[in-house]
Amino acid sequence: MSDILLKTLTEETRTVEPKKDEQQKAIAVLTSGGDAPGMNAAVRAVVRTGINKGMRVFGVYRGYNGLLNGDIEEMNLRSVSEIIGNGGTMLYTARSEEFKKKEAQLRAAEFCRSKGICGVVVIGGDGSFQGARALTNAGINCIGVPGTIDNDIACSEYTVGFDTAMNTALEMVDRIRDTAQSHDRCSIVEVMGRQCGDIALQTGIATGATAILVPEVEYSLERDVIPRIIKTQKTGKKHFIIVVAEGVGKKNRVEDIANFIEQRLGIEARATILGHVQRGGSPTLRDRVVASQMGYHAVDLLDRGIGNRVVVMRDGKITDLDITEALNMERVFDKELYKIAMTISI
Ligand code: ADP
Ligand code: F6P
């Protein structure tokens, strides 16, 4: 490569941290609610996009609490080095009851103004977006970025963390299958997701679960699970996996489902609740890439003086919606995929 070409490339790709001055726009980024793999990638994207656009960027620690306690720190390009592959969130996260009060929201807005912060990127779920709307109403432009393993945000086809959590659940259920198969047992596995059955549905279809119980589909063990096991037994199968979404497991405990199957069919059954293992771990490629796209998009909006929006994925593209419109949307469960699972997992 010639010296001239090398010099041009270096000049084009190099990033220079601008000098701080009174006029420089300042924004902040926080993570709120449950952590999700990929939150760090989103933080990194926000910090680097902001700095490259000539802004000052502050990291806020422990969700909205950081704005109430003044727990913030100015970030530079290196503050977010080597975090893209880390699970959890380097900014820590919290659920702040105090921030739900109007007085606290006004105080947080005043704190932002005192630091020259005119916009905040909030990475979290729809509870966090309600906080973002409240802070925008108090005068600080906020942009929400969907970060939760549950994929339960109606306005977006995808939430950062979902892919990693599903893949962790997949690996765990594959392991459980090894032992269930060795003992000719039935294993009932509960996965996370609150009232959203997406992790259960995807994990269930990917592991060939004989039955998948989700809050979105009404079920009866006697009508929908027992006959499926019996039908499969007749074809020679001797071990079974039942995947149960958290929203179902909270009402019908997986231990009780296991006891019911043992008594009703005389096969040994075991129950496992996967729990927080699904929230940890290095984010998958998909989570890192989507988080980077969403973080970039959020800062672009703030740079244009736009607030009160949520960054979303729709038809596979990154775009944004008004927060209230986004919060009022109703989730649509993928009934077609559920039907496919029920047809082929037998
Ligand atoms: P998620 O963002 O994952 O849905 P939560 O529902 O726990 O998680 O909400 C996270 C945080 O967002 C809450 O602890 C609170 O600080 C803030 N928040 C939630 N609801 C509101 C609200 N109605 N007004 C202001 N802030 C809210
Ligand atoms: O929203 C993410 C999530 O992991 C849910 O799937 C689960 O119900 C909840 O958070 C658990 O919350 P905590 O970590 O506070 O127990």
Side-chain angles (χ1 to χ4, degrees), residues 310-322:
V310 183
V311 179
V312 295
M313 183 187 285
R314 291 180 86 76
D315 298 325
K317 299 231 163 23
I318 305 299
T319 179
D320 50 273
L321 290 171
D322 172 77

Side-chain angles (χ1 to χ4, degrees), residues 34 95 148-150 192-194 246 276 279:
R95 296 190 169 103
T148 162
I149 64 164
D150 300 335
M192 277 187 168
R194 293 185 196 259
E246 180 183 12
H276 286 83
R279 283 245 295 265

Side-chain angles (χ1 to χ4, degrees), residues 184-259:
D184 293 332
R185 280 177 178 158
C186 177
S187 263
I188 297 93
V189 188
E190 181 183 312
V191 297
M192 277 187 168
R194 293 185 196 259
Q195 286 307 309
C196 177
D198 284 13
I199 296 179
L201 174 58
Q202 301 269 343
T203 307
I205 198 165
T207 57
T210 303
I212 304 170
L213 305 181
V214 293
E216 294 90 343
V217 180
E218 190 259 321
Y219 74 96
S220 124
L221 294 178
E222 193 59 66
R223 186 193 62 206
D224 304 308
V225 178
I226 300 296
R228 288 184 70 80
I229 296 178
I230 292 173
K231 192 171 169 192
T232 318
Q233 273 177 322
K234 283 186 183 149
T235 63
K237 188 161 176 162
K238 292 190 172 58
H239 75 278
F240 312 92
I241 300 288
I242 314 285
V243 175
V244 177
E246 180 183 12
V248 168
K250 283 264 183 286
K251 293 187 196 131
N252 198 354
R253 296 183 335 126
V254 280
E255 289 86 354
D256 296 339
I257 297 176
N259 288 337

Side-chain angles (χ1 to χ4, degrees), residues 44-330:
R44 173 179 176 271
V46 169
V47 170
R48 294 207 172 150
T49 306
I51 291 173
N52 279 318
K53 283 179 179 289
M55 302 173 186
R56 298 176 71 190
V57 184
F58 291 88
V60 179
Y61 291 104
R62 297 182 172 83
Y64 291 109
N65 284 337
L67 294 178
L68 299 174
N69 306 334
D71 196 6
I72 70 169
E73 189 177 335
E74 183 158 3
M75 315 291 270
N76 61 43
L77 293 174
R78 296 281 69 80
S79 313
V80 288
S81 288
E82 315 218 2
I83 63 164
I84 195 165
N86 296 347
T89 158
M90 68 163 289
L91 292 178
Y92 303 86
T93 185
R95 296 190 169 103
S96 168
E97 274 310 303
E98 193 186 356
F99 190 74
K100 290 185 179 170
K101 296 184 194 131
K102 179 113 184 160
E103 173 277 323
Q105 295 156 8
L106 294 175
R107 196 150 49 83
E110 195 43 51
F111 172 73
C112 288
R113 276 188 285 274
S114 74
K115 297 287 174 190
I117 295 167
C118 61
V120 180
V121 178
V122 173
I123 305 163
D126 39 12
S128 303
F129 297 163
Q130 293 187 45
R133 177 171 58 186
L135 191 56
T136 306
N137 289 338
I140 304 296
N141 273 346
C142 288
I143 305 290
V145 168
T148 162
I149 64 164
D150 300 335
N151 207 35
D152 61 348
I153 300 182
C155 60
S156 184
E157 288 158 8
Y158 190 78
T159 61
V160 171
F162 180 49
D163 191 56
T164 308
M166 281 189 301
N167 277 289
T168 303
L170 169 71
E171 190 191 333
M172 296 300 132
V173 177
D174 279 348
R175 287 169 187 239
I176 289 169
R177 180 184 288 285
D178 290 346
T179 163
Q181 183 172 31
S182 304
H183 286 266
D184 293 332
R185 280 177 178 158
C186 177
S187 263
I188 297 93
V189 188
E190 181 183 312
V191 297
M192 277 187 168
R194 293 185 196 259
Q195 286 307 309
C196 177
D198 284 13
I199 296 179
L201 174 58
Q202 301 269 343
T203 307
I205 198 165
T207 57
T210 303
I212 304 170
L213 305 181
V214 293
E216 294 90 343
V217 180
E218 190 259 321
Y219 74 96
S220 124
L221 294 178
E222 193 59 66
R223 186 193 62 206
D224 304 308
V225 178
I226 300 296
R228 288 184 70 80
I229 296 178
I230 292 173
K231 192 171 169 192
T232 318
Q233 273 177 322
K234 283 186 183 149
T235 63
K237 188 161 176 162
K238 292 190 172 58
H239 75 278
F240 312 92
I241 300 288
I242 314 285
V243 175
V244 177
E246 180 183 12
V248 168
K250 283 264 183 286
K251 293 187 196 131
N252 198 354
R253 296 183 335 126
V254 280
E255 289 86 354
D256 296 339
I257 297 176
N259 288 337
F260 180 79
I261 289 171
E262 277 201 353
Q263 281 162 21
R264 183 68 180 71
L265 297 175
I267 49 177
E268 270 195 307
R270 293 288 185 271
T272 308
I273 299 177
L274 288 188
H276 286 83
V277 69
Q278 296 159 97
R279 283 245 295 265
S282 178
T284 58
L285 177 143
R286 182 161 201 221
D287 277 327
R288 297 183 200 192
V289 173
V290 175
S292 302
Q293 289 174 294
M294 288 184 164
Y296 175 92
H297 192 94
V299 177
D300 191 51
L301 290 170
L302 288 180
D303 191 37
R304 290 189 277 137
I306 299 169
N308 214 33
R309 310 284 293 176
V310 183
V311 179
V312 295
M313 183 187 285
R314 291 180 86 76
D315 298 325
K317 299 231 163 23
I318 305 299
T319 179
D320 50 273
L321 290 171
D322 172 77
I323 292 189
T324 302
E325 191 190 334
L327 287 171
N328 287 340
M329 288 181 165
E330 285 211 9

